[in-house]
């Protein structure tokens, strides 16, 4: 959890992608290995693994949240404070009952997901600004949320793992030459944008939450220290440009109708989210 780890990896990643992009353009052939059957099946295995891992994370976190909320709700005589205590308390809420575990693994998965970019580059394509920004920013954002145990991080773990389950399932099927209608692709991109807007808004609302804490016999803020607040604002600042880039991609792909080759290349650059 040393800050130098995500900063170094994100910087090296972005720099390498920038250098690799210079040698790629329209007509750039795939690497020799990328034209083999082994490469194809490795890509399928990669997408399937991330699909299953994301589903496991989503189900595990959902189970932890439901169990925690039910217990907290009953413990505080079915009041709304019990719900918020379950979502906000680091010692007795979802952080202690699963978020610290699933969240940390989810943070580590952001480093593995750079293989998405490696695959794109191996195919002779460029990594878009959206692709590079997303992966580099996700490393730093998840680091901040887990390092400072910021309560709203549960939103991003649950929502993003759900979207990733659907996205990587779609790309697994695509790798198996099972084609989905364009409406499915449009729906997935729309779902990604919705998770940023809704998730970011819900996370921001945590700033104004105060709940009754029996351990101190008084009300306390959901965000109890400057580290938790910093992590929240860092993630929100990361989401703003990411949402803008995704909306731009949605308009270019489904409204303006860019040339097929360029649209397909850019579409593959958004196969993962944060």
């Amino acid at each position: 959890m040393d800050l130098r780890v995500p900063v170094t990896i994100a910087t090296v990643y972005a720099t390498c992608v920038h250098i690799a992009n210079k040698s790629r353009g329209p007509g750039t052939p795939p690497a020799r290995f990328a034209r083999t059957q082994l490469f194809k099946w490795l890509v399928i295995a990669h997408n399937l693994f991330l699909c299953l891992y994301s589903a496991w994370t989503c189900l595990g976190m959902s189970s932890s949240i439901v169990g925690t909320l039910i217990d907290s709700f009953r413990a505080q005589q079915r009041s709304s404070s019990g719900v918020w205590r379950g979502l906000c308390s680091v010692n007795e809420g979802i952080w202690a009952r699963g978020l610290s575990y699933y969240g940390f693994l989810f943070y580590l998965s952001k480093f593995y997901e750079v293989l998405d970019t490696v695959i794109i580059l191996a195919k002779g394509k460029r990594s878009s600004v959206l692709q590079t920004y997303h992966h580099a920013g996700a490393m730093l954002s998840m680091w901040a949320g887990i390092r400072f145990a910021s309560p709203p991080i549960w939103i991003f773990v649950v929502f993003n793992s759900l979207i990733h389950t659907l996205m990587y399932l779609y790309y697994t099927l695509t790798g198996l030459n099972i084609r989905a209608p364009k409406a499915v692709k449009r729906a997935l991109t729309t779902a990604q944008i919705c998770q940023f807007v809704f998730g970011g808004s819900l996370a921001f609302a945590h700033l104004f939450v105060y709940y009754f804490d029996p351990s101190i016999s008084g009300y306390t803020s959901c965000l109890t220290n400057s580290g938790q607040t910093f992590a929240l604002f860092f993630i929100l600042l990361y989401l703003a440009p990411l949402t803008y880039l995704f909306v731009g991609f949605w308009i270019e792909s489904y409204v303006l109708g860019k040339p097929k080759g360029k649209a397909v290349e850019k579409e593959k650059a958004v196969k993962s989210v944060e």
Side-chain angles (χ1 to χ4, degrees):
M1 295 306 298
D2 191 315
L3 175 60
R4 291 171 292 185
V5 174
V7 168
T8 300
I9 295 177
T11 301
V12 171
Y13 162 73
T15 301
C16 290
V17 170
H18 177 71
I19 294 173
N21 275 345
K22 288 185 175 181
S23 62
R24 284 162 175 78
T28 301
R32 181 178 299 179
F33 178 61
R35 288 173 277 180
T36 65
Q37 282 295 311
L38 177 59
F39 178 81
K40 173 186 175 179
W41 286 107
L42 286 176
V43 171
I44 292 173
H46 163 75
N47 289 325
L48 181 60
F49 167 73
L50 285 176
C51 173
L52 296 176
Y53 163 72
S54 299
W56 173 77
T57 299
C58 186
L59 291 174
M61 272 301 305
S62 297
S63 177
S64 297
I65 290 173
V66 171
T68 302
L69 293 183
I70 291 175
D71 291 345
S72 299
F73 190 59
R74 290 173 175 172
Q76 293 197 224
Q77 300 179 346
R78 308 192 178 202
S79 68
S80 60
S81 283
V83 174
W84 284 110
R85 186 186 184 196
L87 294 176
C88 297
S89 175
V90 173
N91 297 320
E92 300 175 13
I94 56 175
W95 178 265
R97 295 185 57 172
L99 180 55
S100 60
Y101 173 69
Y102 289 108
F104 178 69
L105 292 179
F106 200 67
Y107 161 63
L108 295 181
S109 74
K110 298 306 169 188
F111 300 109
Y112 173 78
E113 286 174 10
V114 300
L115 284 181
D116 289 343
T117 306
V118 174
I119 292 170
I120 290 172
L121 295 174
K123 291 181 178 180
K125 304 178 185 298
R126 289 180 176 177
S127 174
S128 68
V129 173
L130 172 57
Q131 171 87 355
T132 307
Y133 174 79
H134 162 64
H135 284 303
M139 298 175 195
L140 298 172
S141 295
M142 282 304 303
W143 172 87
I146 300 303
R147 168 62 180 79
F148 295 106
S150 189
I153 199 65
W154 73 266
I155 300 169
F156 305 105
V157 175
V158 174
F159 286 12
N160 197 232
S161 62
L162 174 60
I163 296 298
H164 272 196
T165 300
L166 300 175
M167 289 295 298
Y168 283 108
L169 174 60
Y170 166 76
Y171 281 100
T172 299
L173 295 177
T174 300
L176 294 171
N177 296 321
I178 302 175
R179 301 297 175 184
K182 188 175 182 180
V184 173
K185 296 182 283 187
R186 182 169 59 245
L188 288 173
T189 306
T190 303
Q192 290 174 320
I193 296 172
C194 289
Q195 77 154 320
F196 300 146
V197 176
F198 178 73
S201 300
L202 182 56
F204 183 72
H206 282 63
L207 286 168
F208 309 99
V209 170
Y210 288 81
Y211 65 95
F212 184 80
D213 187 350
S215 64
I216 61 174
S217 298
Y219 282 85
T220 183
S221 172
C222 185
L223 304 180
T224 58
N225 57 63
S226 58
Q228 293 179 341
T229 304
F230 162 77
L232 172 59
F233 278 106
F234 185 88
I235 294 172
L236 292 177
L237 289 174
Y238 159 68
L239 286 179
L242 187 62
T243 304
Y244 171 80
L245 290 170
F246 262 94
V247 170
F249 165 76
W250 195 95
I251 293 174
E252 291 175 357
S253 299
Y254 308 120
V255 178
L256 300 180
K258 284 210 164 189
K260 184 177 179 182
K262 190 170 184 179
V264 170
E265 178 178 342
K266 195 167 184 180
E267 181 179 308
K268 290 183 178 180
V270 295
K271 63 185 293 187
S272 61
V273 169
E274 346 217 273

